[in-house]
Amino acid sequence: MSGSNSVPVTEQGMKIVGFLCNWCSYGGADTAGVCRFKQPTDLRIIRIPCTGRMDPLFAAKSLIYGADGVLVSGCHPRDCHYAVGNLYARRRLEVLKHFLPFMGIDPRRFHYTWVSASEGQLWQRVVTDFSEQIHQLGPNPGIGAESEIFEKLGN
Amino acid sequence: MFENATKQLRETVEAALPELNTVVGWRAGYDPLHMTPVFIKNAGDLSKLEWSPFCVQNLSGYLVKDPAVRAQDPSKKIGICVKGCDSRSLVALIQEKFIERNQIHVFGIPCRGTVDWRRVMKLGPLTGIQSARVEESRLVVEDANGGHTFALEDVLARKCLRCAHPNPVIHDVLIGEPVTPRVAVENSYGEVERMEEQSLEDRLGFWKKELDKCLRCYACRNACPLCVCQDRCIAETREPRWLTQRVGTSEKFLFHFIHALHLAGRCTECGECERACPMEIPVTLIKEKLNKITLELMSYEAGMDPEAVPPLLTFNPGETGL
C-alpha cells in the first residue's frame, strides 16, 4: 500500500485513451478503485471484450487525432478468457509499437501491458507510470490542422 | 534480347492454351514505354502477347478483384504471366485462400527489372516516342528529336533496384533462365534504414510533406493485389466510419495507416501502390518498414511459401520478448 499516495499532482490534464479488456484489466482497474488506490485522472477507459478485439488502428487513430497517449492492457498471456486473443494482440501491438516511430509518432506515447483482475496495485503502478511518462512528453503535437478539432472537443 | 523471350512466351502460352480459359498477360500500350494488360482467350490473340521490361503491371489482382477473371469452364484453369515480385502476390493470395493453386497455370518470367517511365521522363522530356528497347544495361529510346540513351540503373523502378526475388517463387513453366538477385533480403531495406537514421521530427516532417500531397483517390488501394476488402473497405464505409470527407493531413495519415496496417505481414512489396500513385508519394516505403519489422521480429517474409500463415493472422504462445 506504500505507493498509494505517491500520485503526482498534475498541472494540466492529458488525454490518455485506455483500451482495457473486459475480463482482466478492466477488473484490475475496478479492483484498484474498490481498494481506493489513488490514480491519475488523465486516463479515459474504453472497455473492449478482449485485447484480440484491439485493432492497432484504434491506437493509431487516437494518436493521429491528437490523443496524448494510448494504453492497452489485457489478460496475461496464456490467461486470456478466450484462450488466445491476447496472443494475437501481442504480435499486432508489438508491430505497431515498432511502426509508429517510422511515421514520426513518438512510440513512448503508446504502451501495452498485461494486468489481471486481482492486480489492483499493479494497475495503479501501470497507470501512474504511464501518466507520468505522458506528462513528461507533454501534449501530442498531432499531425495537422485536424488536430485542432480534438482540442476543441477536449477543452 | 526481349524478342526471343516474347517468342518463347507466345509459344509456351500457345501450347498450354487449349487447357486454359484465359491467359492474363501484357500487350503494347499507347506508346512504346507503356504496356497494358491483355486477356488472351484464343490463339488468334497470341500475337498481342509481349514481354519486355515495360511490363510493369502486377496482374495477380485480376484473379481476385472485381470484375475478376473467372473460369467459364470450371474444368479449365486460368493462365497468368508473372514476374518474380508478382508471383509472391499469387502466393499470398493462395495462403489466404482467395485462389487455389490448382486453378491457375502460372507462366513465370525471371525479371531483370522493369522501367519506371516517370524516371525516364524526368531525365529527358521525350515527345512522340517511336521506339524503346532495353539493351544490356542501357535503355534506348527514339523520339521525335532522335535517339536517347539512358543507363538502366537510372530508369529502373525503385522496387527493382532493391529486388531480392527476381525469379518467380511459384510457376508451372519458366520462360527464360533464372536471374541472380541484386541483393539479399536482409540488405534490401536500405531506404527504410536511411529513414530510421533521421530524428523523429524529421520523419514526421517527411511524411507530413509527402502525405499532404495525397488526394485520397485510393488508387494505391485499388492497385494493390492484396487489398481484398473491395467495397467493404473501411476507408469508405459509413459504419464504422473511420474517415470523414475532411481534407486534413490527419485523415490522409489515417488512410495510409489503414492501408499499411492491413498489409502488415502480407505485403509482398510488388510496388503497385507506388506506381499507381498520381502524386508520386513513396507509399511502398511504409509497407517496406512493416515488412522489415515482421522480418526482424518473426523472421517472416511474405509471399514465399504457399503453406505458411502470415504472422499477424496467427500467434505463437511460446514467443518471448514481445
Side-chain angles (χ1 to χ4, degrees), chain A residues 57-58 60-61 64-65 84 90-91 94 99 101-102 112 143 146, chain B residues 203 207-208 242 246 250-251 253 286 289 311 315-316 319 322:
Chain A
L57 286 167
F58 294 162
K61 185 171 184 178
I64 289 172
Y65 283 82
V84 293
R90 182 165 64 175
R91 284 192 155 186
E94 186 68 18
F99 177 59
F102 188 73
Y112 74 95
I143 300 300
E146 292 295 298
Chain B
R203 280 193 298 258
W207 288 116
K208 268 182 167 173
W242 279 87
R246 289 195 191 99
S250 34
E251 305 277 310
F253 255 74
I286 307 176
K289 170 62 183 176
F315 60 88
N316 173 8
E319 222 158 35
L322 291 194

PDB file of all heavy atoms in Angstrom, chain A residues 57-58 60-61 64-65 84 90-91 94 99 101-102 112 143 146, chain B residues 203 207-208 242 246 250-251 253 286 289 311 315-316 319 322:
ATOM      1  N   LEU A  57      -5.370  -0.037 -35.362  1.00  0.00           N
ATOM      2  CA  LEU A  57      -5.828   1.247 -35.885  1.00  0.00           C
ATOM      3  C   LEU A  57      -6.544   2.080 -34.834  1.00  0.00           C
ATOM      4  O   LEU A  57      -6.593   3.305 -34.939  1.00  0.00           O
ATOM      5  CB  LEU A  57      -6.757   1.023 -37.087  1.00  0.00           C
ATOM      6  CG  LEU A  57      -6.062   0.589 -38.379  1.00  0.00           C
ATOM      7  CD1 LEU A  57      -7.087   0.100 -39.385  1.00  0.00           C
ATOM      8  CD2 LEU A  57      -5.241   1.718 -38.969  1.00  0.00           C
ATOM      9  N   PHE A  58      -7.109   1.436 -33.789  1.00  0.00           N
ATOM     10  CA  PHE A  58      -7.711   2.211 -32.696  1.00  0.00           C
ATOM     11  C   PHE A  58      -6.643   3.126 -32.082  1.00  0.00           C
ATOM     12  O   PHE A  58      -6.871   4.308 -31.854  1.00  0.00           O
ATOM     13  CB  PHE A  58      -8.241   1.290 -31.589  1.00  0.00           C
ATOM     14  CG  PHE A  58      -9.409   0.416 -31.982  1.00  0.00           C
ATOM     15  CD1 PHE A  58      -9.739  -0.688 -31.223  1.00  0.00           C
ATOM     16  CD2 PHE A  58     -10.197   0.722 -33.086  1.00  0.00           C
ATOM     17  CE1 PHE A  58     -10.821  -1.492 -31.554  1.00  0.00           C
ATOM     18  CE2 PHE A  58     -11.275  -0.075 -33.436  1.00  0.00           C
ATOM     19  CZ  PHE A  58     -11.583  -1.193 -32.664  1.00  0.00           C
ATOM     20  N   ALA A  60      -3.700   3.879 -33.457  1.00  0.00           N
ATOM     21  CA  ALA A  60      -3.155   4.791 -34.467  1.00  0.00           C
ATOM     22  C   ALA A  60      -4.059   5.997 -34.651  1.00  0.00           C
ATOM     23  O   ALA A  60      -3.610   7.141 -34.654  1.00  0.00           O
ATOM     24  CB  ALA A  60      -2.986   4.048 -35.792  1.00  0.00           C
ATOM     25  N   LYS A  61      -5.356   5.745 -34.721  1.00  0.00           N
ATOM     26  CA  LYS A  61      -6.295   6.854 -34.943  1.00  0.00           C
ATOM     27  C   LYS A  61      -6.266   7.823 -33.763  1.00  0.00           C
ATOM     28  O   LYS A  61      -6.230   9.035 -33.953  1.00  0.00           O
ATOM     29  CB  LYS A  61      -7.713   6.323 -35.164  1.00  0.00           C
ATOM     30  CG  LYS A  61      -8.699   7.431 -35.519  1.00  0.00           C
ATOM     31  CD  LYS A  61     -10.058   6.919 -35.948  1.00  0.00           C
ATOM     32  CE  LYS A  61     -10.933   8.110 -36.364  1.00  0.00           C
ATOM     33  NZ  LYS A  61     -12.253   7.726 -36.838  1.00  0.00           N
ATOM     34  N   ILE A  64      -3.050   9.861 -34.034  1.00  0.00           N
ATOM     35  CA  ILE A  64      -3.062  10.770 -35.187  1.00  0.00           C
ATOM     36  C   ILE A  64      -3.950  11.975 -34.901  1.00  0.00           C
ATOM     37  O   ILE A  64      -3.631  13.098 -35.258  1.00  0.00           O
ATOM     38  CB  ILE A  64      -3.541  10.022 -36.451  1.00  0.00           C
ATOM     39  CG1 ILE A  64      -2.469   9.039 -36.923  1.00  0.00           C
ATOM     40  CG2 ILE A  64      -3.890  10.997 -37.574  1.00  0.00           C
ATOM     41  CD1 ILE A  64      -2.918   8.117 -38.031  1.00  0.00           C
ATOM     42  N   TYR A  65      -5.064  11.729 -34.205  1.00  0.00           N
ATOM     43  CA  TYR A  65      -6.002  12.823 -33.953  1.00  0.00           C
ATOM     44  C   TYR A  65      -5.711  13.558 -32.655  1.00  0.00           C
ATOM     45  O   TYR A  65      -6.544  14.307 -32.170  1.00  0.00           O
ATOM     46  CB  TYR A  65      -7.439  12.309 -33.994  1.00  0.00           C
ATOM     47  CG  TYR A  65      -7.888  12.092 -35.421  1.00  0.00           C
ATOM     48  CD1 TYR A  65      -7.567  10.934 -36.097  1.00  0.00           C
ATOM     49  CD2 TYR A  65      -8.590  13.088 -36.101  1.00  0.00           C
ATOM     50  CE1 TYR A  65      -7.947  10.743 -37.411  1.00  0.00           C
ATOM     51  CE2 TYR A  65      -8.970  12.914 -37.401  1.00  0.00           C
ATOM     52  CZ  TYR A  65      -8.650  11.743 -38.061  1.00  0.00           C
ATOM     53  OH  TYR A  65      -9.014  11.567 -39.359  1.00  0.00           O
ATOM     54  N   VAL A  84      -6.798 -17.343 -26.570  1.00  0.00           N
ATOM     55  CA  VAL A  84      -5.658 -16.910 -27.375  1.00  0.00           C
ATOM     56  C   VAL A  84      -5.755 -15.468 -27.883  1.00  0.00           C
ATOM     57  O   VAL A  84      -4.875 -15.009 -28.605  1.00  0.00           O
ATOM     58  CB  VAL A  84      -5.459 -17.846 -28.596  1.00  0.00           C
ATOM     59  CG1 VAL A  84      -5.048 -19.224 -28.133  1.00  0.00           C
ATOM     60  CG2 VAL A  84      -6.695 -17.906 -29.466  1.00  0.00           C
ATOM     61  N   ARG A  90      -0.723  -9.454 -28.961  1.00  0.00           N
ATOM     62  CA  ARG A  90       0.683  -9.208 -28.642  1.00  0.00           C
ATOM     63  C   ARG A  90       1.491  -8.944 -29.907  1.00  0.00           C
ATOM     64  O   ARG A  90       2.283  -8.016 -29.970  1.00  0.00           O
ATOM     65  CB  ARG A  90       1.232 -10.416 -27.887  1.00  0.00           C
ATOM     66  CG  ARG A  90       2.659 -10.279 -27.449  1.00  0.00           C
ATOM     67  CD  ARG A  90       3.031 -11.311 -26.433  1.00  0.00           C
ATOM     68  NE  ARG A  90       2.965 -12.669 -26.980  1.00  0.00           N
ATOM     69  CZ  ARG A  90       3.335 -13.754 -26.301  1.00  0.00           C
ATOM     70  NH1 ARG A  90       3.761 -13.637 -25.065  1.00  0.00           N
ATOM     71  NH2 ARG A  90       3.261 -14.941 -26.835  1.00  0.00           N
ATOM     72  N   ARG A  91       1.270  -9.779 -30.930  1.00  0.00           N
ATOM     73  CA  ARG A  91       2.008  -9.579 -32.180  1.00  0.00           C
ATOM     74  C   ARG A  91       1.626  -8.266 -32.848  1.00  0.00           C
ATOM     75  O   ARG A  91       2.473  -7.500 -33.294  1.00  0.00           O
ATOM     76  CB  ARG A  91       1.710 -10.732 -33.133  1.00  0.00           C
ATOM     77  CG  ARG A  91       2.444 -11.994 -32.755  1.00  0.00           C
ATOM     78  CD  ARG A  91       2.369 -13.011 -33.851  1.00  0.00           C
ATOM     79  NE  ARG A  91       3.513 -13.919 -33.737  1.00  0.00           N
ATOM     80  CZ  ARG A  91       3.808 -14.860 -34.612  1.00  0.00           C
ATOM     81  NH1 ARG A  91       3.060 -15.020 -35.675  1.00  0.00           N
ATOM     82  NH2 ARG A  91       4.857 -15.628 -34.451  1.00  0.00           N
ATOM     83  N   GLU A  94       2.878  -5.192 -30.889  1.00  0.00           N
ATOM     84  CA  GLU A  94       4.337  -5.066 -30.960  1.00  0.00           C
ATOM     85  C   GLU A  94       4.744  -4.500 -32.327  1.00  0.00           C
ATOM     86  O   GLU A  94       5.613  -3.630 -32.422  1.00  0.00           O
ATOM     87  CB  GLU A  94       4.992  -6.437 -30.727  1.00  0.00           C
ATOM     88  CG  GLU A  94       6.512  -6.414 -30.634  1.00  0.00           C
ATOM     89  CD  GLU A  94       7.036  -5.697 -29.390  1.00  0.00           C
ATOM     90  OE1 GLU A  94       6.276  -5.505 -28.431  1.00  0.00           O
ATOM     91  OE2 GLU A  94       8.220  -5.304 -29.420  1.00  0.00           O
ATOM     92  N   PHE A  99       6.302   0.353 -35.519  1.00  0.00           N
ATOM     93  CA  PHE A  99       5.937   1.088 -36.736  1.00  0.00           C
ATOM     94  C   PHE A  99       5.718   2.575 -36.483  1.00  0.00           C
ATOM     95  O   PHE A  99       6.092   3.411 -37.312  1.00  0.00           O
ATOM     96  CB  PHE A  99       4.663   0.454 -37.322  1.00  0.00           C
ATOM     97  CG  PHE A  99       4.136   1.156 -38.542  1.00  0.00           C
ATOM     98  CD1 PHE A  99       4.931   1.295 -39.677  1.00  0.00           C
ATOM     99  CD2 PHE A  99       2.841   1.663 -38.571  1.00  0.00           C
ATOM    100  CE1 PHE A  99       4.444   1.938 -40.814  1.00  0.00           C
ATOM    101  CE2 PHE A  99       2.361   2.297 -39.703  1.00  0.00           C
ATOM    102  CZ  PHE A  99       3.161   2.437 -40.817  1.00  0.00           C
ATOM    103  N   PRO A 101       7.173   5.000 -34.718  1.00  0.00           N
ATOM    104  CA  PRO A 101       8.244   5.989 -34.879  1.00  0.00           C
ATOM    105  C   PRO A 101       8.628   6.210 -36.345  1.00  0.00           C
ATOM    106  O   PRO A 101       9.095   7.290 -36.704  1.00  0.00           O
ATOM    107  CB  PRO A 101       9.414   5.396 -34.082  1.00  0.00           C
ATOM    108  CG  PRO A 101       9.100   3.966 -33.914  1.00  0.00           C
ATOM    109  CD  PRO A 101       7.607   3.876 -33.886  1.00  0.00           C
ATOM    110  N   PHE A 102       8.411   5.205 -37.185  1.00  0.00           N
ATOM    111  CA  PHE A 102       8.756   5.374 -38.601  1.00  0.00           C
ATOM    112  C   PHE A 102       7.914   6.471 -39.239  1.00  0.00           C
ATOM    113  O   PHE A 102       8.358   7.184 -40.134  1.00  0.00           O
ATOM    114  CB  PHE A 102       8.540   4.054 -39.351  1.00  0.00           C
ATOM    115  CG  PHE A 102       9.037   4.077 -40.772  1.00  0.00           C
ATOM    116  CD1 PHE A 102      10.391   4.050 -41.045  1.00  0.00           C
ATOM    117  CD2 PHE A 102       8.142   4.115 -41.837  1.00  0.00           C
ATOM    118  CE1 PHE A 102      10.849   4.070 -42.346  1.00  0.00           C
ATOM    119  CE2 PHE A 102       8.596   4.143 -43.144  1.00  0.00           C
ATOM    120  CZ  PHE A 102       9.963   4.116 -43.402  1.00  0.00           C
ATOM    121  N   TYR A 112       1.599  -1.073 -24.216  1.00  0.00           N
ATOM    122  CA  TYR A 112       0.664  -2.172 -23.948  1.00  0.00           C
ATOM    123  C   TYR A 112       1.243  -3.069 -22.865  1.00  0.00           C
ATOM    124  O   TYR A 112       2.452  -3.220 -22.754  1.00  0.00           O
ATOM    125  CB  TYR A 112       0.333  -2.951 -25.224  1.00  0.00           C
ATOM    126  CG  TYR A 112       1.420  -3.870 -25.737  1.00  0.00           C
ATOM    127  CD1 TYR A 112       1.434  -5.218 -25.402  1.00  0.00           C
ATOM    128  CD2 TYR A 112       2.429  -3.397 -26.562  1.00  0.00           C
ATOM    129  CE1 TYR A 112       2.423  -6.065 -25.872  1.00  0.00           C
ATOM    130  CE2 TYR A 112       3.426  -4.228 -27.040  1.00  0.00           C
ATOM    131  CZ  TYR A 112       3.412  -5.562 -26.686  1.00  0.00           C
ATOM    132  OH  TYR A 112       4.393  -6.399 -27.160  1.00  0.00           O
ATOM    133  N   ILE A 143      -0.830  15.638 -35.982  1.00  0.00           N
ATOM    134  CA  ILE A 143      -0.362  15.567 -37.364  1.00  0.00           C
ATOM    135  C   ILE A 143      -0.567  16.874 -38.103  1.00  0.00           C
ATOM    136  O   ILE A 143       0.327  17.414 -38.729  1.00  0.00           O
ATOM    137  CB  ILE A 143      -1.096  14.445 -38.130  1.00  0.00           C
ATOM    138  CG1 ILE A 143      -0.844  13.103 -37.461  1.00  0.00           C
ATOM    139  CG2 ILE A 143      -0.671  14.416 -39.594  1.00  0.00           C
ATOM    140  CD1 ILE A 143       0.609  12.695 -37.402  1.00  0.00           C
ATOM    141  N   GLU A 146      -6.227  19.133 -38.518  1.00  0.00           N
ATOM    142  CA  GLU A 146      -7.393  18.452 -37.973  1.00  0.00           C
ATOM    143  C   GLU A 146      -7.306  18.251 -36.466  1.00  0.00           C
ATOM    144  O   GLU A 146      -8.314  18.067 -35.819  1.00  0.00           O
ATOM    145  CB  GLU A 146      -7.573  17.104 -38.665  1.00  0.00           C
ATOM    146  CG  GLU A 146      -7.973  17.220 -40.113  1.00  0.00           C
ATOM    147  CD  GLU A 146      -9.349  17.851 -40.278  1.00  0.00           C
ATOM    148  OE1 GLU A 146     -10.323  17.300 -39.805  1.00  0.00           O
ATOM    149  OE2 GLU A 146      -9.400  18.931 -40.885  1.00  0.00           O
TER     150      GLU A 146
ATOM    151  N   ARG B 203      11.286  12.706 -39.514  1.00  0.00           N
ATOM    152  CA  ARG B 203      10.428  11.702 -40.157  1.00  0.00           C
ATOM    153  C   ARG B 203       8.992  12.199 -40.228  1.00  0.00           C
ATOM    154  O   ARG B 203       8.320  12.043 -41.248  1.00  0.00           O
ATOM    155  CB  ARG B 203      10.491  10.374 -39.389  1.00  0.00           C
ATOM    156  CG  ARG B 203      11.706   9.553 -39.706  1.00  0.00           C
ATOM    157  CD  ARG B 203      11.561   8.157 -39.170  1.00  0.00           C
ATOM    158  NE  ARG B 203      11.425   8.142 -37.721  1.00  0.00           N
ATOM    159  CZ  ARG B 203      12.406   7.842 -36.884  1.00  0.00           C
ATOM    160  NH1 ARG B 203      13.574   7.511 -37.351  1.00  0.00           N
ATOM    161  NH2 ARG B 203      12.222   7.864 -35.597  1.00  0.00           N
ATOM    162  N   TRP B 207       6.863  12.742 -43.704  1.00  0.00           N
ATOM    163  CA  TRP B 207       5.564  12.142 -44.038  1.00  0.00           C
ATOM    164  C   TRP B 207       4.471  13.184 -44.129  1.00  0.00           C
ATOM    165  O   TRP B 207       3.539  13.036 -44.927  1.00  0.00           O
ATOM    166  CB  TRP B 207       5.203  11.036 -43.041  1.00  0.00           C
ATOM    167  CG  TRP B 207       6.036   9.815 -43.234  1.00  0.00           C
ATOM    168  CD1 TRP B 207       6.928   9.277 -42.360  1.00  0.00           C
ATOM    169  CD2 TRP B 207       6.095   8.987 -44.410  1.00  0.00           C
ATOM    170  NE1 TRP B 207       7.533   8.174 -42.912  1.00  0.00           N
ATOM    171  CE2 TRP B 207       7.040   7.973 -44.166  1.00  0.00           C
ATOM    172  CE3 TRP B 207       5.447   9.003 -45.647  1.00  0.00           C
ATOM    173  CZ2 TRP B 207       7.349   6.980 -45.104  1.00  0.00           C
ATOM    174  CZ3 TRP B 207       5.759   8.019 -46.580  1.00  0.00           C
ATOM    175  CH2 TRP B 207       6.695   7.030 -46.303  1.00  0.00           C
ATOM    176  N   LYS B 208       4.574  14.242 -43.320  1.00  0.00           N
ATOM    177  CA  LYS B 208       3.576  15.315 -43.448  1.00  0.00           C
ATOM    178  C   LYS B 208       3.646  15.907 -44.845  1.00  0.00           C
ATOM    179  O   LYS B 208       2.641  16.129 -45.505  1.00  0.00           O
ATOM    180  CB  LYS B 208       3.848  16.406 -42.411  1.00  0.00           C
ATOM    181  CG  LYS B 208       3.119  16.235 -41.109  1.00  0.00           C
ATOM    182  CD  LYS B 208       3.455  17.425 -40.236  1.00  0.00           C
ATOM    183  CE  LYS B 208       2.568  17.539 -39.037  1.00  0.00           C
ATOM    184  NZ  LYS B 208       3.034  18.598 -38.120  1.00  0.00           N
ATOM    185  N   TRP B 242     -14.533   5.360 -40.232  1.00  0.00           N
ATOM    186  CA  TRP B 242     -13.151   5.640 -39.852  1.00  0.00           C
ATOM    187  C   TRP B 242     -12.682   6.979 -40.384  1.00  0.00           C
ATOM    188  O   TRP B 242     -11.931   7.685 -39.731  1.00  0.00           O
ATOM    189  CB  TRP B 242     -12.242   4.541 -40.378  1.00  0.00           C
ATOM    190  CG  TRP B 242     -12.247   3.327 -39.526  1.00  0.00           C
ATOM    191  CD1 TRP B 242     -13.117   2.283 -39.595  1.00  0.00           C
ATOM    192  CD2 TRP B 242     -11.345   3.024 -38.451  1.00  0.00           C
ATOM    193  NE1 TRP B 242     -12.813   1.355 -38.634  1.00  0.00           N
ATOM    194  CE2 TRP B 242     -11.733   1.779 -37.929  1.00  0.00           C
ATOM    195  CE3 TRP B 242     -10.258   3.687 -37.899  1.00  0.00           C
ATOM    196  CZ2 TRP B 242     -11.064   1.178 -36.863  1.00  0.00           C
ATOM    197  CZ3 TRP B 242      -9.594   3.085 -36.841  1.00  0.00           C
ATOM    198  CH2 TRP B 242     -10.001   1.848 -36.335  1.00  0.00           C
ATOM    199  N   ARG B 246     -13.253  15.270 -44.614  1.00  0.00           N
ATOM    200  CA  ARG B 246     -12.337  16.390 -44.373  1.00  0.00           C
ATOM    201  C   ARG B 246     -11.041  16.189 -45.142  1.00  0.00           C
ATOM    202  O   ARG B 246     -10.651  15.064 -45.428  1.00  0.00           O
ATOM    203  CB  ARG B 246     -12.018  16.506 -42.885  1.00  0.00           C
ATOM    204  CG  ARG B 246     -13.163  17.001 -42.071  1.00  0.00           C
ATOM    205  CD  ARG B 246     -12.662  17.428 -40.698  1.00  0.00           C
ATOM    206  NE  ARG B 246     -13.800  17.654 -39.828  1.00  0.00           N
ATOM    207  CZ  ARG B 246     -14.230  16.763 -38.945  1.00  0.00           C
ATOM    208  NH1 ARG B 246     -13.625  15.618 -38.809  1.00  0.00           N
ATOM    209  NH2 ARG B 246     -15.270  17.036 -38.204  1.00  0.00           N
ATOM    210  N   SER B 250      -4.341  14.761 -41.250  1.00  0.00           N
ATOM    211  CA  SER B 250      -4.539  13.627 -40.345  1.00  0.00           C
ATOM    212  C   SER B 250      -5.417  12.554 -40.987  1.00  0.00           C
ATOM    213  O   SER B 250      -5.218  11.364 -40.764  1.00  0.00           O
ATOM    214  CB  SER B 250      -5.106  14.087 -39.009  1.00  0.00           C
ATOM    215  OG  SER B 250      -5.967  15.171 -39.173  1.00  0.00           O
ATOM    216  N   GLU B 251      -6.396  12.976 -41.795  1.00  0.00           N
ATOM    217  CA  GLU B 251      -7.232  11.984 -42.488  1.00  0.00           C
ATOM    218  C   GLU B 251      -6.369  11.166 -43.453  1.00  0.00           C
ATOM    219  O   GLU B 251      -6.536   9.966 -43.595  1.00  0.00           O
ATOM    220  CB  GLU B 251      -8.342  12.669 -43.296  1.00  0.00           C
ATOM    221  CG  GLU B 251      -9.212  13.598 -42.510  1.00  0.00           C
ATOM    222  CD  GLU B 251     -10.321  12.882 -41.760  1.00  0.00           C
ATOM    223  OE1 GLU B 251     -11.035  12.075 -42.363  1.00  0.00           O
ATOM    224  OE2 GLU B 251     -10.452  13.142 -40.562  1.00  0.00           O
ATOM    225  N   PHE B 253      -3.123  10.690 -43.201  1.00  0.00           N
ATOM    226  CA  PHE B 253      -2.286   9.806 -42.381  1.00  0.00           C
ATOM    227  C   PHE B 253      -3.057   8.545 -42.017  1.00  0.00           C
ATOM    228  O   PHE B 253      -2.562   7.432 -42.174  1.00  0.00           O
ATOM    229  CB  PHE B 253      -1.857  10.528 -41.089  1.00  0.00           C
ATOM    230  CG  PHE B 253      -0.439  10.982 -41.088  1.00  0.00           C
ATOM    231  CD1 PHE B 253      -0.062  12.080 -41.841  1.00  0.00           C
ATOM    232  CD2 PHE B 253       0.530  10.330 -40.337  1.00  0.00           C
ATOM    233  CE1 PHE B 253       1.248  12.509 -41.852  1.00  0.00           C
ATOM    234  CE2 PHE B 253       1.844  10.754 -40.336  1.00  0.00           C
ATOM    235  CZ  PHE B 253       2.208  11.849 -41.090  1.00  0.00           C
ATOM    236  N   ILE B 286       6.267   2.739 -46.743  1.00  0.00           N
ATOM    237  CA  ILE B 286       5.570   2.492 -45.473  1.00  0.00           C
ATOM    238  C   ILE B 286       5.435   0.984 -45.259  1.00  0.00           C
ATOM    239  O   ILE B 286       5.669   0.461 -44.172  1.00  0.00           O
ATOM    240  CB  ILE B 286       4.170   3.142 -45.487  1.00  0.00           C
ATOM    241  CG1 ILE B 286       4.282   4.631 -45.854  1.00  0.00           C
ATOM    242  CG2 ILE B 286       3.481   2.973 -44.141  1.00  0.00           C
ATOM    243  CD1 ILE B 286       2.942   5.331 -45.997  1.00  0.00           C
ATOM    244  N   LYS B 289       8.712  -0.796 -44.375  1.00  0.00           N
ATOM    245  CA  LYS B 289       9.054  -0.739 -42.952  1.00  0.00           C
ATOM    246  C   LYS B 289       8.333  -1.852 -42.186  1.00  0.00           C
ATOM    247  O   LYS B 289       8.933  -2.554 -41.368  1.00  0.00           O
ATOM    248  CB  LYS B 289       8.693   0.634 -42.381  1.00  0.00           C
ATOM    249  CG  LYS B 289       8.785   0.744 -40.871  1.00  0.00           C
ATOM    250  CD  LYS B 289      10.199   0.513 -40.345  1.00  0.00           C
ATOM    251  CE  LYS B 289      10.231   0.547 -38.820  1.00  0.00           C
ATOM    252  NZ  LYS B 289      11.565   0.229 -38.287  1.00  0.00           N
ATOM    253  N   PRO B 311       2.128 -13.826 -40.353  1.00  0.00           N
ATOM    254  CA  PRO B 311       2.390 -13.802 -38.903  1.00  0.00           C
ATOM    255  C   PRO B 311       1.324 -13.111 -38.073  1.00  0.00           C
ATOM    256  O   PRO B 311       1.133 -13.470 -36.917  1.00  0.00           O
ATOM    257  CB  PRO B 311       3.727 -13.057 -38.796  1.00  0.00           C
ATOM    258  CG  PRO B 311       3.856 -12.294 -40.065  1.00  0.00           C
ATOM    259  CD  PRO B 311       3.170 -13.121 -41.107  1.00  0.00           C
ATOM    260  N   PHE B 315      -0.426 -16.878 -34.101  1.00  0.00           N
ATOM    261  CA  PHE B 315       0.290 -16.491 -32.879  1.00  0.00           C
ATOM    262  C   PHE B 315       1.209 -17.623 -32.483  1.00  0.00           C
ATOM    263  O   PHE B 315       1.133 -18.729 -33.035  1.00  0.00           O
ATOM    264  CB  PHE B 315      -0.692 -16.203 -31.727  1.00  0.00           C
ATOM    265  CG  PHE B 315      -1.546 -17.387 -31.382  1.00  0.00           C
ATOM    266  CD1 PHE B 315      -1.118 -18.332 -30.470  1.00  0.00           C
ATOM    267  CD2 PHE B 315      -2.780 -17.558 -31.994  1.00  0.00           C
ATOM    268  CE1 PHE B 315      -1.890 -19.434 -30.175  1.00  0.00           C
ATOM    269  CE2 PHE B 315      -3.569 -18.656 -31.697  1.00  0.00           C
ATOM    270  CZ  PHE B 315      -3.121 -19.605 -30.791  1.00  0.00           C
ATOM    271  N   ASN B 316       2.085 -17.327 -31.555  1.00  0.00           N
ATOM    272  CA  ASN B 316       2.973 -18.347 -31.035  1.00  0.00           C
ATOM    273  C   ASN B 316       3.014 -18.194 -29.521  1.00  0.00           C
ATOM    274  O   ASN B 316       3.555 -17.219 -29.007  1.00  0.00           O
ATOM    275  CB  ASN B 316       4.367 -18.167 -31.649  1.00  0.00           C
ATOM    276  CG  ASN B 316       5.390 -19.090 -31.021  1.00  0.00           C
ATOM    277  OD1 ASN B 316       5.047 -19.962 -30.225  1.00  0.00           O
ATOM    278  ND2 ASN B 316       6.645 -18.881 -31.361  1.00  0.00           N
ATOM    279  N   GLU B 319       6.296 -17.458 -27.663  1.00  0.00           N
ATOM    280  CA  GLU B 319       7.066 -16.283 -28.036  1.00  0.00           C
ATOM    281  C   GLU B 319       7.417 -15.473 -26.795  1.00  0.00           C
ATOM    282  O   GLU B 319       6.563 -15.195 -25.961  1.00  0.00           O
ATOM    283  CB  GLU B 319       6.196 -15.414 -28.941  1.00  0.00           C
ATOM    284  CG  GLU B 319       6.896 -14.831 -30.101  1.00  0.00           C
ATOM    285  CD  GLU B 319       5.884 -14.485 -31.180  1.00  0.00           C
ATOM    286  OE1 GLU B 319       4.755 -14.081 -30.850  1.00  0.00           O
ATOM    287  OE2 GLU B 319       6.219 -14.613 -32.348  1.00  0.00           O
ATOM    288  N   LEU B 322       8.184 -10.292 -26.657  1.00  0.00           N
ATOM    289  CA  LEU B 322       7.181  -9.428 -27.282  1.00  0.00           C
ATOM    290  C   LEU B 322       6.266  -8.905 -26.183  1.00  0.00           C
ATOM    291  O   LEU B 322       5.994  -9.592 -25.233  1.00  0.00           O
ATOM    292  CB  LEU B 322       6.339 -10.183 -28.299  1.00  0.00           C
ATOM    293  CG  LEU B 322       6.999 -10.637 -29.583  1.00  0.00           C
ATOM    294  CD1 LEU B 322       5.930 -11.048 -30.577  1.00  0.00           C
ATOM    295  CD2 LEU B 322       7.829  -9.542 -30.194  1.00  0.00           C
TER     296      LEU B 322
END
